[in-house]
Amino acid sequence: MDMMRGVIDPELGSNLVELGMARGAEVSDEGEIRIKIALTTSGCPLRAQIQRDVKARLESLPGVTKVRILWGELTAEEKAAAMAKARFNVAQQAPDTAIPPTTKVLMVASGKGGVGKSTVTTNLAAALAALSFKVGVMDADIWGYSVPRMLGVGGDLRSLEGRIVPITRSIGDGRLDVVSMGFLVDREDSALMWRGLMLNRAVQHFCEDVAWSDDLDYLLIDMPPGTGDVQMGLAKMLPRAEMIVVTTPAVAAQKVAARVVDMGRKNYLRIVGVIENMSALVTATGEQHAVFGSGGGDTLAAEVGAPLLGRIPLEAAVADGSDRGEPAVLGEGAAAAAFKAVAEALSSEHVPPVEMAGCSARMLDAAAAALDALDNAES
Ligand code: ADP
């Protein structure tokens, strides 16, 4: 049931527990989960979306062999209560955060620094934008922020009606909306002077006080390395987030990476998969050089029971692209192809965007009718 706090009804903007839609679960000795989910209307096209989210969350739990959803429908009264909750959230402006309920949130995490977490975040963000998605990038790696430089965006964050406005860059038909401490402190090394408490608050501001656009398909969060306070705070603030873990091919690095997965699981996040970065360098003649060893990605994926999403080779073009603010994925080469393949698999299979599929009008009508009914009943 706690996992269901991470599943958002995209239309009502709250999680299934808060809305009273998750009605209890049973787990058999064989690891089969039967969970009751009640919808506002049984014919809602968002059912497929909710089904995918519920299954993905529960199936990512260790020991779960099968997930069966027993569908039901909210009674008129329950529906009115759910609508009232949704309306309250709208009135409060922010459900729990300012991140739209229809945005898929992906945390990119790693056990330690220097494994290429920011490189992976920025290249995946650029690749998703190149696929025409609207992609937010939150640079939560407050101590070692490098996202602005890697994405070639800069300037000062503006505020509009008390909200921080992200800095935008268009890529093809897609768009990147970026927030980073890098836009707030003027020198890259002065972030080190900020104290832990303030840093925690900074990340909270990025969740609550940013004017994230309503049309964002994805929000990628570049997490600080490891499992400190900032990471814990973010995981608690965003139980709906899904986690991608970046690791290197060195098998010895897996213990620290596994700790991050542990932290995610304890906060009910879904682990989408593992990306192995700095995999074997491939020369022009096709020779492979496993500079940082091999097998780390597979080992970690097997250990945490999540798929290996891809292997990104060590390639000068990757470091060079990050230094120039032009992510390597926007060019050619083996690493670019590997990043593109991961972005395609994420958007088509592992974390597809929310399709609102014409449900809105009907739901809003239903909401209005339910509220009228409630008002009538009260009067
Ligand atoms: P992290 O965010 O984990 O601290 P970075 O993304 O900053 O790591 O990467 C560390 C360094 O390694 C950077 O200089 C980056 O350009 C380089 N790098 C990362 N991935 C690759 C790769 N696949 N090939 C070559 N250089 C890479």
Side-chain angles (χ1 to χ4, degrees):
M1 284 298 282
D2 277 327
M3 289 300 275
M4 293 299 99
R5 292 188 188 279
V7 180
I8 305 278
D9 180 309
E11 199 124 39
L12 299 180
S14 292
N15 69 64
L16 298 192
V17 175
E18 204 174 48
L19 290 169
M21 293 164 75
R23 322 297 286 270
E26 284 169 22
V27 189
S28 76
D29 291 343
E30 292 75 41
E32 178 181 325
I33 297 186
R34 303 170 115 226
I35 183 156
K36 287 188 198 150
I37 304 286
L39 297 176
T40 43
T41 46
S42 55
C44 178
L46 286 173
R47 174 176 163 150
Q49 175 73 42
I50 292 173
Q51 177 174 27
R52 252 201 315 270
D53 284 354
V54 168
K55 285 205 161 191
R57 292 266 155 179
L58 295 178
E59 281 168 358
S60 73
L61 285 173
V64 172
T65 53
K66 197 171 171 197
V67 175
R68 286 185 57 189
I69 303 177
L70 310 173
W71 296 102
E73 210 173 316
L74 296 174
T75 65
E77 247 169 41
E78 291 165 340
K79 213 179 295 183
M83 296 303 168
K85 175 73 200 157
R87 198 167 57 167
F88 173 79
N89 285 342
V90 172
Q92 297 283 306
Q93 278 283 318
D96 299 313
T97 66
I99 302 161
T102 48
T103 302
K104 290 283 184 178
V105 182
L106 290 171
M107 289 179 174
V108 183
S110 69
K112 57 184 180 117
V115 302
K117 176 182 48 57
S118 302
T119 304
V120 168
T121 310
T122 49
N123 276 279
L124 286 184
L128 287 166
L131 289 170
S132 303
F133 292 111
K134 313 286 183 281
V135 186
V137 185
M138 185 198 292
D139 188 357
D141 192 349
I142 305 273
W143 302 98
Y145 61 86
S146 47
V147 167
R149 180 169 44 82
M150 288 183 171
L151 286 175
V153 291
D156 292 329
L157 286 177
R158 282 184 309 118
S159 106
L160 184 74
E161 292 168 4
R163 293 264 175 113
I164 304 167
V165 182
I167 302 218
T168 290
R169 169 176 175 181
S170 294
I171 294 181
D173 289 335
R175 197 184 70 223
L176 296 174
D177 292 350
V178 187
V179 292
S180 169
M181 281 300 281
F183 302 140
L184 297 173
V185 292
D186 44 8
R187 284 169 32 147
E188 279 202 26
D189 50 8
S190 56
L192 290 172
M193 299 180 325
W194 291 60
R195 305 246 302 284
L197 203 61
M198 278 170 83
L199 295 177
N200 233 337
R201 285 288 303 161
V203 167
Q204 197 177 339
H205 281 307
F206 286 165
C207 290
E208 292 175 355
D209 303 324
V210 170
W212 292 111
S213 149
D214 280 343
D215 65 354
L216 272 199
D217 297 299
Y218 292 98
L219 174 65
L220 269 60
I221 305 183
D222 188 11
M223 300 285 279
T227 54
D229 291 348
V230 174
Q231 295 86 323
M232 292 292 285
L234 265 170
K236 288 212 159 50
M237 251 182 282
L238 292 167
R240 60 192 273 202
E242 318 194 39
M243 189 182 259
I244 293 174
V245 185
V246 181
T247 188
T248 64
V251 176
Q254 303 323 308
K255 276 214 166 59
V256 279
R259 258 181 246 148
V260 173
V261 170
D262 239 29
M263 181 206 74
R265 288 242 164 87
K266 287 205 177 98
N267 289 286
Y268 315 114
L269 308 183
R270 172 191 170 211
I271 313 300
V272 181
V274 174
I275 295 180
E276 182 183 279
N277 185 37
M278 306 190 181
S279 302
L281 178 134
V282 186
T283 65
T285 54
E287 263 175 76
Q288 297 217 1
H289 298 279
V291 180
F292 291 120
S294 61
D298 280 315
T299 310
L300 181 64
E303 192 177 323
V304 304
L308 180 67
L309 299 170
R311 287 191 190 90
I312 316 296
L314 195 66
E315 198 178 281
V318 174
D320 181 51
S322 292
D323 283 345
R324 287 186 299 113
E326 199 56 27
V329 71
L330 300 177
E332 303 292 323
F339 277 127
K340 276 181 204 151
V342 174
E344 272 157 23
L346 285 175
S347 59
S348 65
E349 186 189 341
H350 302 289
V351 194
V354 174
E355 308 272 359
M356 290 300 277
C359 190
S360 309
R362 217 171 48 197
M363 282 294 297
L364 288 178
D365 286 350
L371 289 170
D372 283 350
L374 187 71
D375 286 346
N376 288 341
E378 276 169 359
S379 60

